[in-house]
């Protein structure tokens, strides 16, 4: 995933000010006022930022630095051009891989339900390819963890020669070396959440009422002509969005697809797409691991920045000059130094 790639490169990024920085700092100052307002705001972050659901990559960004993730929502457009270039190169490698196993067809969407229908049609295709024993790329996953709706896209699923279902996540790197442990932690979290969501889906635990109420979609909404045409080509007869949802749920429940057996990370060098290394990830109780993350989204606690031991992350952070957490941390560091003297 390219957003992690950018994080993965964080320690190496230049801290030179990007063009337009002064203007952006002014914008940042404004948000200090907004922050005061936020403290007296009774809404939780999901409500405050008008987010109906989280992407799994949001959790990864939160795992790197929650404060940085919040700034990236409040101050979009802060990304340095060299990071945008890294993301573009990563996206090209992902796209080339995807095209190895299937074609990409453009579908015209008119409503929010149409846009979500595309994801469910892709999921239905994925189910039938996996049932036939084939590999799939860009597999959509949906699910609820601790009352919060999550959406993600698994890079690749395939069967190993032993018949195990393996999830393989591609990470592209700007340098030909493996990431640091802090970066790996995020990648591990990402694939563990994907496994949790996929396994729940194939066990028939995707709850349609929850999905509709979280995403505020209208099941009775007729599907657009283009979507219907595409569904018919895939042998499906669907009229409204609810038809497609029910069909997806039934297909998942009766698919007999197994849980994911293995989680693998593949690190590639962006410049020439050579393999740097692979890593197997062990699966644990992800709900327990995510409790503190979810406490933030539910508004049970304030935003946190990095711990003092991980203050090195701040050196390459776009928000270093405006970061309130960093200022507080500086006070703590100075206080600790004085106490030791
Ligand atoms: Fe997080 Fe440090 Fe950036 Fe603040 S300066 S947002 S604490 S990484």
């Amino acid at each position: 995933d390219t957003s992690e790639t950018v994080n993965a490169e964080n320690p190496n990024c230049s801290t030179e000010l990007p063009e337009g920085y002064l203007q952006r700092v002014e914008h940042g100052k404004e948000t200090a006022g907004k922050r005061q307002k936020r403290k007296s705001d009774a809404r939780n972050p999901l409500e405050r930022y008008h987010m109906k659901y989280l992407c799994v990559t949001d959790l990864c960004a939160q795992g790197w630095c929650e404060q940085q993730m919040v700034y990236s929502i409040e101050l979009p457009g802060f990304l340095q051009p060299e990071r945008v270039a890294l993301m573009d190169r990563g996206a090209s490698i992902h796209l080339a891989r995807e095209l190895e196993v299937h074609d990409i067809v453009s579908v015209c969407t008119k409503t929010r339900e149409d846009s979500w229908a595309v994801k469910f049609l892709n999921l239905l295709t994925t189910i039938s390819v996996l049932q036939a024993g084939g590999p799939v790329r860009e597999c959509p996953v949906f699910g609820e963890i601790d009352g919060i709706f999550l959406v993600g896209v698994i890079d690749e699923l395939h069967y190993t020669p032993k018949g195990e279902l393996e999830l393989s996540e591609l990470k592209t790197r700007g340098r030909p070396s493996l990431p640091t442990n802090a970066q790996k932690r995020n990648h591990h979290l990402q694939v563990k959440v994907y496994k949790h969501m996929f396994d729940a889906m194939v066990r028939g635990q995707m709850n349609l009422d929850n999905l509709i109420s979280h995403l505020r979609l209208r099941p009775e909404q007729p599907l657009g002509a283009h979507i219907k045409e595409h569904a018919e080509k895939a042998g499906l007869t669907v009229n409204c969005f609810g038809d497609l949802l029910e069909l997806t749920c039934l297909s998942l429940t009766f698919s007999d697809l197994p849980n994911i057996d293995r989680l693998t990370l593949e690190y590639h060098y962006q410049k020439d797409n050579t393999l740097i290394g692979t890593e197997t990830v062990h699966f644990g109780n992800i709900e327990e691991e995510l409790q503190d993350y979810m406490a933030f989204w539910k508004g049970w606690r304030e935003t946190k920045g990095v711990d003092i031991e991980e203050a090195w992350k701040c050196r390459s952070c776009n928000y270093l000059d405006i970061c309130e957490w960093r200022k507080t941390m500086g006070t703590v560091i100075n206080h600790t130094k004085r106490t030791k003297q």
Side-chain angles (χ1 to χ4, degrees):
D1 182 290
T2 50
S3 59
E4 273 66 41
T5 305
V6 170
N7 272 345
E9 300 313 313
N10 257 348
N12 314 315
C13 274
S14 154
T15 49
E16 272 178 24
L17 302 182
E19 268 182 30
Y21 186 78
L22 288 176
Q23 188 193 341
R24 287 167 187 161
V25 170
E26 283 303 316
H27 189 180
K29 277 180 184 165
E30 279 170 27
T31 62
K34 278 187 197 162
R35 191 181 173 89
Q36 269 312 107
K37 226 169 148 189
R38 198 172 60 224
K39 281 183 179 164
S40 55
D41 188 343
R43 293 173 303 172
N44 68 37
L46 283 175
E47 294 160 342
R48 196 181 304 137
Y49 302 127
H50 309 289
M51 294 162 84
K52 298 181 183 74
Y53 61 92
L54 292 180
C55 293
V56 176
T57 46
D58 292 327
L59 296 178
C60 301
Q62 187 182 3
W64 181 261
C65 174
E66 191 173 271
Q67 179 66 76
Q68 189 185 67
M69 177 206 63
V70 167
Y71 282 138
S72 71
I73 298 170
E74 293 182 350
L75 299 167
F78 224 92
L79 215 54
Q80 292 179 12
E82 58 269 40
R83 291 191 191 174
V84 175
L86 274 174
M87 287 171 73
D88 287 347
R89 280 203 294 279
S92 307
I93 294 175
H94 276 263
L95 180 64
R97 274 204 147 195
E98 189 182 352
L99 289 171
E100 284 171 12
V101 295
H102 58 227
D103 291 333
I104 295 176
V105 180
S106 296
V107 183
C108 175
T109 60
K110 292 231 160 66
T111 60
R112 284 187 60 235
E113 285 75 14
D114 275 358
S115 305
W116 282 91
V118 171
K119 296 181 180 42
F120 289 104
L121 283 171
N122 284 339
L123 180 55
L124 282 167
T125 311
T126 298
I127 297 167
S128 54
V129 176
L130 281 175
Q131 277 178 314
V136 291
R137 296 227 166 105
E138 303 295 311
C139 167
V141 277
F142 311 92
E144 196 189 55
I145 297 184
D146 209 0
I148 291 180
F149 199 75
L150 286 167
V151 175
V153 182
I154 296 174
D155 263 353
E156 181 176 330
L157 286 169
H158 58 249
Y159 292 97
T160 65
K162 282 187 186 167
E164 295 170 321
L165 183 59
E166 181 175 61
L167 178 155
S168 177
E169 188 68 23
L170 169 72
K171 295 285 170 203
T172 54
R173 306 261 311 142
R175 286 199 308 174
S177 58
L178 287 170
T180 61
N181 287 338
Q183 292 155 356
K184 279 187 192 169
R185 257 202 321 272
N186 270 357
H187 302 160
H188 289 194
L189 178 83
Q190 183 180 8
V191 292
K192 287 193 277 187
V193 175
Y194 285 157
K195 172 177 161 53
H196 181 91
M197 292 164 73
F198 181 88
D199 290 356
M201 283 196 327
V202 298
R203 281 198 301 266
Q205 291 173 356
M206 195 167 87
N207 183 315
L208 282 194
D209 294 335
N210 271 357
L211 185 145
I212 288 165
S213 77
H214 276 297
L215 302 176
R216 283 171 231 148
L217 293 166
R218 297 159 299 174
E220 69 288 352
Q221 171 68 33
L223 292 169
H226 226 152
I227 298 281
K228 274 209 241 174
E229 193 186 310
H230 191 69
E232 271 162 29
K233 273 191 205 151
L236 309 168
T237 311
V238 283
N239 289 313
C240 62
F241 181 63
D243 290 348
L244 183 60
L245 274 185
E246 274 176 30
L247 201 59
T248 311
C249 263
L250 284 173
S251 300
L252 280 167
T253 309
F254 297 105
S255 65
D256 276 339
L257 285 178
N259 287 346
I260 292 170
D261 299 299
R262 284 171 62 84
L263 300 174
T264 310
L265 288 163
E266 249 185 58
Y267 292 101
H268 283 244
Y269 184 30
Q270 274 187 351
K271 208 167 161 193
D272 55 11
N273 198 15
T274 49
L275 180 70
I276 304 169
T278 56
E279 188 163 313
T280 303
V281 180
H282 300 288
F283 185 66
N285 185 343
I286 196 68
E287 280 174 300
E288 210 174 291
E289 207 174 312
L290 288 178
Q291 263 173 13
D292 190 48
Y293 287 63
M294 296 312 189
F296 164 77
W297 291 108
K298 289 177 179 176
W300 292 352
R301 62 167 177 79
E302 278 295 312
T303 316
K304 289 191 285 198
V306 296
D307 289 335
I308 287 180
E309 303 81 57
E310 294 206 323
W312 52 268
K313 289 180 178 174
C314 304
R315 285 201 301 271
S316 57
C317 176
N318 280 347
Y319 308 99
L320 175 66
D321 290 347
I322 59 162
C323 178
E324 293 184 28
W325 177 269
R326 172 82 189 173
K327 280 179 209 152
T328 321
M329 192 165 57
T331 316
V332 174
I333 294 169
N334 288 337
H335 175 75
T336 315
K337 275 185 192 159
R338 275 201 301 274
T339 320
K340 281 184 181 168
Q341 277 164 8

